[in-house]
Each structure stands twice: as C-alpha cells, then as structure tokens.
Amino acid sequence: MASKSLTKLLQKEPTSLSDLCKEMKTSKSQVKSYIHNLRRKGVCIQKNTEGLDTTYFLPKTLPKEPIYDKHIDNFALIGDTHLGSKYAEPEALDMFYDEIDEAGIKHVFHAGDLVEGIGVYQGQYNDLLPQAMNMEGQIDLAVNDYPQKKDLETLIISGNHDLR
C-alpha cells in the first residue's frame, strides 16, 4: 500500500525526501526503504541532487534499451585511447580500425577511457593537448577524430577518465 502511494507521489513531480515523509507520515529511513524496495522490483525511481535538496521522481519516459538480435561471431576489443592526451596515439587507433575492417570484424567494444578526462590525477593539465583543456574539447576530439568505418559498430563502455 505504501509503495503505491509513494509511486503516485513521485509520478506527479519531483519531491524532496522531507516532503515525502510528510505526505506519507513516516520517517526518512522508512521512505528510503520503500524507494529501495521499489527499485529492486524494477521501478525506475530517479534522484536529482542539484540544488539544496535531493528530490526523487519517476521519469516521464523510460530509456529504451537497445535490442541486439544479431549473432556476433567475433569482435574487436580496445580501451584506454585517452583522446585529448598528448600521449594518445590516434594514428595507431586508425591503423587498428583499418586492420579490423580488413579482417571483416563488424563489432568493436571500447572498454573505457575513450578520452583523457579532466582532473583525474595531479598535473594532468600538463598532459593535455591545447584543444582538450576542457571536457567539451575532448568530446569534440572524440566525435570528430574517432575512426568510423561503414559497416563497423563501436560500443563504448565509460571508464573513470570519461566521467570527469
């Protein structure tokens, strides 16, 4: 019963934890327990921590998960390209993509650290290219310079450098 009333509250608008407690006439730990249990059942309760108060809400539309009905016989794996670093080797990356394209491989998994990131380690700014001193510059490098082949799909898994 409490889960249904919590769901109805969260469908209306983002609501703070303290307001949820008032509406449901219960403690913060109990509301958090309800949220946890609903999430375990697959309810997509989102949390927004911007501003002074954390709010909880149900998204208006849920993200669609890609459906992969393809059979993958072989694939290529790469990671740690660190685009934006002066130590990155974009020419080697291009050569790698040429080789896998020639081999007929159609799927590449990038296992993280696509870009160098910002503030991951002390002195990192000394290792960045001039056009990659901020995340926007690194994203531009990745979008414009990452190799693309006609029949080749790259799936990227974010790494710790990609998240900063």
Side-chain angles (χ1 to χ4, degrees):
M1 184 65 176
S3 296
K4 283 189 176 186
S5 61
L6 176 61
T7 305
K8 284 183 181 180
L9 288 169
L10 296 176
Q11 283 175 333
K12 293 178 186 174
E13 62 185 349
T15 309
S16 70
L17 185 59
S18 54
D19 287 343
L20 289 170
C21 292
K22 287 177 194 171
E23 288 287 329
M24 298 181 70
K25 296 177 177 61
T26 190
S27 67
K28 287 183 179 183
S29 61
Q30 188 61 55
V31 171
K32 285 183 178 181
S33 176
Y34 293 148
I35 290 170
H36 175 73
N37 289 334
L38 284 168
R39 283 178 173 160
R40 285 183 52 201
K41 291 178 183 176
V43 178
C44 186
I45 297 176
Q46 299 291 305
K47 180 167 124 176
N48 184 356
T49 56
E50 292 178 13
L52 299 175
D53 206 4
T54 299
T55 57
Y56 295 87
F57 63 97
L58 288 171
K60 301 293 182 203
T61 59
L62 294 176
K64 299 280 188 228
E65 194 170 323
I67 298 171
Y68 293 102
D69 58 355
K70 310 173 211 174
H71 178 71
I72 299 176
D73 288 326
N74 53 35
F75 61 90
L77 180 64
I78 191 168
D80 295 296
T81 50
H82 293 273
L83 299 176
S85 167
K86 63 184 180 183
Y87 302 109
E89 297 189 34
E91 298 83 13
L93 182 60
D94 287 335
M95 289 172 29
F96 174 71
Y97 267 76
D98 288 342
E99 287 181 25
I100 60 176
D101 188 41
E102 288 172 20
I105 295 172
K106 301 296 180 202
H107 305 281
V108 180
F109 292 92
H110 191 294
D113 294 347
L114 174 72
V115 296
E116 178 60 12
I118 303 290
V120 179
Y121 57 89
Q122 191 171 14
Q124 185 178 22
Y125 283 102
N126 297 318
D127 296 338
L128 296 175
L129 296 171
Q131 66 270 34
M133 291 293 179
N134 57 39
M135 225 32 215
E136 291 79 17
Q138 291 183 30
I139 291 169
D140 286 345
L141 272 172
V143 168
N144 296 324
D145 296 347
Y146 199 86
Q148 294 182 18
K149 301 289 182 182
K150 182 180 176 198
D151 294 322
L152 196 64
E153 177 183 42
T154 300
L155 300 168
I156 301 168
I157 303 162
S158 63
N160 66 312
H161 286 249
D162 301 318
L163 301 175
R164 293 183 172 230

